[in-house]
Amino acid sequence: MARPTKKSPVQPLQKTPTGIMGFDEITGGGLPTGRPSLICGEAGAGKTLFSIEFIVKGITQWGEPGVIMAFEEKAEDLETNVASLGFDLKKLQKDKLLWIDHVHVDRSEIEETGEYDLDGLFIRLGYAIDSIGAKRVMLDTIENLFGGLKNEGILRAEIRRLFSWLKNKGVTTLITGEKGEGSLTRQGLEEYVSDCVILLQHRVVKQISTRLLRVIKYRGSLHGTNEYPFLIDEDGISVLPVTSLLLNKDISSKRISSGIPTLDEMFDGKGFFRSSSVLVSGTAGTGKTSIAAYFADATCRRKERCIYFAFEESPQQIIRNMQSISIDLQQHIDTGLLQIHAARPTLYGLEMHLVAIHKTVKKFKPRVVILDPITNLVTIGSMPEVKSMLIRLIDFLQEEAITVMFTALTFNKDATVQTDEGVSSLVDAWILVKDIEWNGERNRGIYIMKSRGMKHSNQVREFVITDNGLELVDVYLGPEGVLTGSAREAQQLSEATGIELRTHALNRKDRELDRKRLVLEAKIASLREEFESVQDELNKSFQDEDLKKEIMERNREQLTKNRNTRNSADDKTKQ
Amino acid sequence: MTKQSSDPKKAKPVQPLSKAGKPKEKEAKWQLRLYVAGNTPKSVAALNNLKKYCEMHLCDQYELEVIDLLLHPQLAAGDQILAIPTLVRKVPVPVRKIIGDLSNEEKVLVGLDLKPIKN
């Protein structure tokens, strides 16, 4: 049946973008141009919505008029159904960009006798396509014909003919089909549509449903074969392409502050790396949220955008609670730098959270994302699932050069054993806030378990939450171990007392020394006096001796002289 | 085949008439529409068959309108035409549709609810 169209066969497959977020990335451009594609799934899987979005986005984004042929719902019903997504089908119809034809088949009204064909349908469709110059067609759900007409043989032949007719017309067609037992569609439409088949699914795990999209077949094109979770919300469908784990993202060596100067100091004085991932884990009530709020505040103060995903508290609650430590998050919300998204983890499945985060991040383009706490996600998925989700999240955020901070609640007393959903090996920095229970009180100790690529403190600091904010204080190491809280304060006091006492004692000793010196100096003076007097004495005796000696000498000389003269006189006399 | 039996002129004035209830006393006037697409064997067969039955069972109590959708594609949606050929009984209500070449007389008569007249 695949009669080649006028296009040359060597031309690579052309693709028509659907405008559905993420889908065009998975398929490398969208649906095959000018060919029919099948979208199948169970009731409520989102087939109709997907198709309508394809048509409407085609009109609004690429100016390609479209035809909706509805076998199920009436035009008015369709209009109301998609009005909530902001699609104004009425206006598009008025502008001759959209054509809705409701095909109603009712077996009770129809009697079949003999041969017939579905030329009527062809003519209607052809008329619709030609009157607005449509490039895109949606058939929803053509299988309804099987309910209205009995002759299946004719029907099958005609549907086959319809698809090849559409192909020849060169319109890109999206056909929806309800999932059947053991086959993709109830009537085996996949046999006729051989170019592109998309399967939409619902999966309910732990009472939480996740929507999944899978491209089963895409002839002549590469496509992702995974199941991609998708989300239907007020913006329509968004598919999440599970990002590749190629680990080839750009890295930054810029640093950003955590908002707590003393914490930055522990990180080599500069804080975290930009676009890195930071894990703050700790037991309940250790101030993880406060650290996160500080980080958010610091980000906004740098005039950068920040998204805070809260899984536990409402935005108002966070704002109020953070005011008590003098963090005013409201001002940042008012200036539009901060967004707080609060959602219970059980609101939707894990994948859906990931899609929601993706979407919000893509829209708001923040520099910092905070998830508080990731541990709550375990309530809706098993540990490996949460881990795989977080891996993909970290990967995505790092690709976008966004710094991410997770908080994680550790249930285990021994926090080092608990690996925090296994993400601790993925994150670049891991801060642990730990309870230190001692001496009848609970205090918080903070330390850095790891911090890739930078020098970081190995010290346990005490983490104090005061009215003025967070502070990190050096802990005291006493004989009983680390001292925190009042024990630390007592230690501080006693040390202060000690200093006082010591200085006092020193003063007294100084004075005594002075006094001693004085005494000593006095003693030295007296000794010197004594010595001088002794010296004098000695000198005097020496002089006396000399004098005596001299006098004696003189006396002896005199005596000798005297004797000599006497002798002569004697001589004279004798003579 | 493309003798649309001057359809639009005939059909339009009849419809309000039947609703007004005027022809009630002498067997409601039948208003039939046959949708075809070009001169295909199926269409020709259907028209011939239909004419035969009508002459046999309805005498003059009917108006037949043949619409060629190749010429008037915009008319297909109004009567919810999918299959070709399709015979639509507009009057009497409820609207009934018979698709196919009308080769099975029994079925056509049942479909049109014509049985009583034959008897």
Side-chain angles (χ1 to χ4, degrees):
Chain A
M1 72 170 214
R3 185 132 295 155
T5 47
K6 289 145 257 169
K7 287 165 205 145
S8 78
V10 279
Q11 213 172 350
L13 190 70
Q14 287 196 335
K15 291 180 184 176
T16 298
T18 57
I20 290 164
M21 221 186 277
F23 180 77
D24 296 341
E25 288 162 41
I26 298 168
T27 48
L31 297 171
T33 303
R35 297 182 187 208
S37 302
L38 177 69
I39 180 160
C40 46
E42 290 153 37
K47 305 180 291 289
T48 307
L49 189 70
F50 188 100
S51 320
I52 290 185
E53 204 174 330
F54 163 69
I55 297 285
V56 173
K57 291 268 169 82
I59 297 168
T60 55
Q61 292 185 12
W62 288 279
E64 296 190 353
V67 170
I68 296 176
M69 195 153 231
F71 296 83
E72 258 172 358
E73 291 174 286
K74 287 194 176 138
E76 304 83 65
D77 293 340
L78 280 180
E79 280 159 19
T80 30
N81 290 353
V82 298
S84 58
L85 301 177
F87 298 160
D88 189 353
L89 299 188
K90 266 212 170 72
K91 188 177 173 294
L92 294 175
Q93 285 181 87
K94 218 177 275 166
D95 296 346
K96 293 269 173 241
L97 291 166
L98 176 69
W99 186 288
I100 301 182
D101 193 354
H102 172 236
V103 178
H104 173 75
V105 265
D106 186 349
R107 187 171 266 190
S108 66
E109 277 180 13
I110 294 173
E111 195 66 46
E112 295 176 33
T113 78
E115 289 284 301
Y116 61 89
D117 54 40
L118 293 184
D119 265 343
L121 184 67
F122 284 61
I123 286 164
R124 276 166 82 168
L125 196 49
Y127 177 64
I129 292 170
D130 294 341
S131 21
I132 57 166
K135 294 270 186 298
R136 298 173 182 221
V137 172
M138 152 189 176
L139 302 176
D140 180 44
T141 308
I142 200 161
E143 285 177 320
N144 272 21
L145 289 180
F146 287 89
L149 303 171
K150 284 183 208 117
N151 195 329
E152 216 176 275
I154 291 180
L155 214 44
R156 288 189 179 279
E158 287 299 291
I159 287 177
R160 189 181 288 266
R161 189 163 70 93
L162 177 68
F163 292 165
S164 75
W165 176 79
L166 283 167
K167 215 167 177 171
N168 282 331
K169 264 210 163 299
V171 287
T172 310
T173 313
L174 198 51
I175 299 141
T176 64
E178 193 104 334
K179 189 166 167 37
E181 285 290 317
S183 66
L184 289 177
T185 57
R186 256 190 251 150
Q187 305 297 339
L189 287 180
E190 63 272 20
E191 284 173 39
Y192 313 122
V193 185
S194 46
D195 292 307
C196 178
V197 179
I198 301 152
L199 177 66
L200 302 184
Q201 272 177 302
H202 250 309
R203 190 167 305 150
V204 181
V205 179
K206 288 191 187 173
Q207 293 136 9
I208 288 158
S209 116
T210 305
R211 295 174 188 274
L212 297 164
L213 177 146
R214 186 155 70 98
V215 180
I216 291 183
K217 157 172 167 182
Y218 200 138
R219 189 168 282 180
S221 166
L222 285 175
H223 62 86
T225 49
N226 294 337
E227 278 184 331
Y228 301 96
F230 71 96
L231 180 71
I232 297 179
D233 62 7
E234 63 277 6
D235 299 322
I237 290 179
S238 13
V239 186
L240 172 74
V242 181
T243 42
S244 60
L245 277 172
L246 287 176
L247 300 174
N248 56 356
K249 53 222 168 202
D250 291 335
I251 48 128
S252 167
S253 50
K254 287 208 187 94
R255 303 283 277 267
I256 51 171
S257 164
S258 64
I260 308 168
T262 34
L263 183 58
D264 290 344
E265 250 161 57
M266 292 177 82
F267 285 99
D268 203 12
K270 293 174 198 154
F272 312 127
F273 276 122
R274 191 177 277 292
S275 80
S276 66
S277 46
V278 183
L279 174 70
V280 180
S281 70
T283 43
T286 44
K288 300 180 294 294
T289 304
S290 306
I291 294 178
Y294 253 86
F295 189 39
D297 182 59
T299 307
C300 294
R301 281 180 197 281
R302 284 194 302 270
K303 301 278 169 243
E304 291 174 359
R305 288 163 186 231
C306 173
I307 301 187
Y308 194 115
F309 290 99
F311 296 123
E312 242 168 14
E313 295 171 284
S314 72
Q316 290 77 17
Q317 232 176 327
I318 294 173
I319 291 164
R320 183 201 65 195
N321 294 349
M322 289 310 123
Q323 257 159 9
S324 71
I325 55 165
S326 77
I327 290 283
D328 184 9
L329 294 176
Q330 186 61 48
Q331 57 175 10
H332 302 310
I333 293 177
D334 294 341
T335 53
L337 287 168
L338 178 69
Q339 279 191 356
I340 302 183
H341 287 264
R344 283 272 166 214
T346 44
L347 182 64
Y348 28 62
L350 218 45
E351 300 296 339
M352 217 45 42
H353 276 292
L354 191 52
V355 179
I357 292 171
H358 256 241
K359 250 191 80 180
T360 332
V361 167
K362 287 250 180 196
K363 213 190 228 168
F364 192 61
K365 302 206 179 305
R367 296 304 301 268
V368 168
V369 168
I370 294 167
L371 273 89
D372 178 37
I374 50 169
T375 13
N376 267 24
L377 296 172
V378 183
T379 48
I380 49 167
S382 65
M383 284 286 207
E385 281 170 335
V386 174
K387 187 177 177 182
S388 120
M389 175 219 166
L390 291 174
I391 289 174
R392 274 146 53 198
L393 181 65
I394 292 175
D395 206 43
F396 161 71
L397 293 174
Q398 297 201 336
E399 228 154 73
E400 305 272 322
I402 294 167
T403 317
V404 59
M405 180 184 270
F406 304 108
T407 70
L409 180 68
T410 43
F411 305 99
N412 204 322
K413 259 280 161 198
D414 188 0
T416 46
V417 174
Q418 178 89 11
T419 52
D420 301 296
E421 322 333 321
V423 288
S424 55
S425 63
L426 289 165
V427 295
D428 298 312
W430 183 6
I431 301 167
L432 195 77
V433 195
K434 204 174 149 184
D435 264 341
I436 300 170
E437 194 185 325
W438 186 76
N439 200 15
E441 37 173 54
R442 243 177 95 241
N443 293 298
R444 304 174 183 90
I446 188 168
Y447 54 99
I448 299 171
M449 294 285 281
K450 76 175 205 183
S451 180
R452 284 182 184 145
M454 65 172 89
K455 212 161 66 184
H456 58 270
S457 163
N458 63 348
Q459 299 293 306
V460 179
R461 300 287 160 91
E462 190 184 346
F463 176 59
V464 193
I465 302 179
T466 66
D467 289 346
N468 302 321
L470 306 182
E471 251 178 84
L472 303 189
V473 194
D474 287 336
V475 292
Y476 278 79
L477 282 171
E480 301 90 351
V482 285
L483 295 181
T484 54
S486 54
R488 167 180 52 78
E489 270 163 30
Q491 181 71 23
Q492 271 174 330
L493 273 179
S494 75
E495 283 199 5
T497 324
I499 288 167
E500 193 69 21
L501 284 174
R502 209 157 48 233
T503 47
H504 187 70
L506 272 177
N507 285 346
R508 213 175 51 204
K509 277 205 176 115
D510 272 352
R511 278 201 302 279
E512 206 177 302
L513 200 69
D514 279 347
R515 270 200 301 276
K516 270 206 173 135
R517 188 169 41 231
L518 279 178
V519 171
L520 209 64
E521 272 167 6
K523 262 187 188 164
I524 289 169
S526 79
L527 275 176
R528 185 170 288 143
E529 294 289 309
E530 221 168 288
F531 171 72
E532 267 169 19
S533 65
V534 169
Q535 201 178 26
D536 270 1
E537 198 84 357
L538 275 173
N539 282 351
K540 207 169 89 192
S541 66
F542 273 133
Q543 275 171 348
D544 280 358
E545 207 109 314
D546 282 350
L547 206 65
K548 224 184 257 175
K549 213 171 149 191
E550 203 184 300
I551 292 170
M552 271 170 71
E553 198 91 351
R554 216 170 357 168
N555 283 352
R556 204 170 42 232
E557 255 171 55
Q558 194 66 43
L559 212 63
T560 319
K561 207 191 270 178
N562 281 352
R563 202 181 306 155
N564 283 347
T565 50
R566 205 179 314 145
N567 277 352
S568 60
D570 274 352
D571 284 345
K572 261 180 202 174
T573 54
K574 267 179 197 179
Q575 263 172 5
Chain B
M1 172 53 45
T2 41
K3 59 158 190 175
Q4 284 124 33
S5 61
S6 56
D7 34 339
K9 282 160 239 158
K10 258 188 190 170
K12 263 151 204 169
V14 172
Q15 204 160 10
L17 252 176
S18 67
K19 268 182 190 160
K22 185 196 151 197
K24 252 198 180 137
E25 71 274 22
K26 47 161 187 169
E27 276 307 321
K29 189 142 181 154
W30 288 65
Q31 195 186 331
L32 302 173
R33 235 183 241 182
L34 183 66
Y35 287 89
V36 295
N39 206 350
T40 61
K42 269 176 270 187
S43 301
V44 174
L47 186 61
N48 291 340
N49 286 334
L50 181 61
K51 275 190 176 160
K52 195 169 71 196
Y53 307 143
C54 288
E55 290 306 320
M56 255 158 74
H57 305 288
L58 283 171
C59 304
D60 285 335
Q61 296 299 312
Y62 76 98
E63 270 172 41
L64 177 61
E65 187 181 354
V66 179
I67 296 175
D68 187 346
L69 289 180
L70 290 186
L71 300 173
H72 306 281
Q74 71 279 12
L75 296 177
D79 270 326
Q80 284 293 352
I81 303 306
L82 287 178
I84 293 292
T86 298
L87 172 65
V88 181
R89 188 191 75 180
K90 301 288 280 184
V91 178
V93 282
V95 173
R96 311 222 44 167
K97 283 183 197 156
I98 301 170
I99 59 175
D101 58 12
L102 310 177
S103 51
N104 186 329
E105 183 178 355
E106 193 82 354
K107 271 195 170 170
V108 176
L109 296 183
V110 170
L112 287 177
D113 212 4
L114 260 179
K115 263 268 156 76
I117 293 184
K118 195 190 172 189
N119 298 343

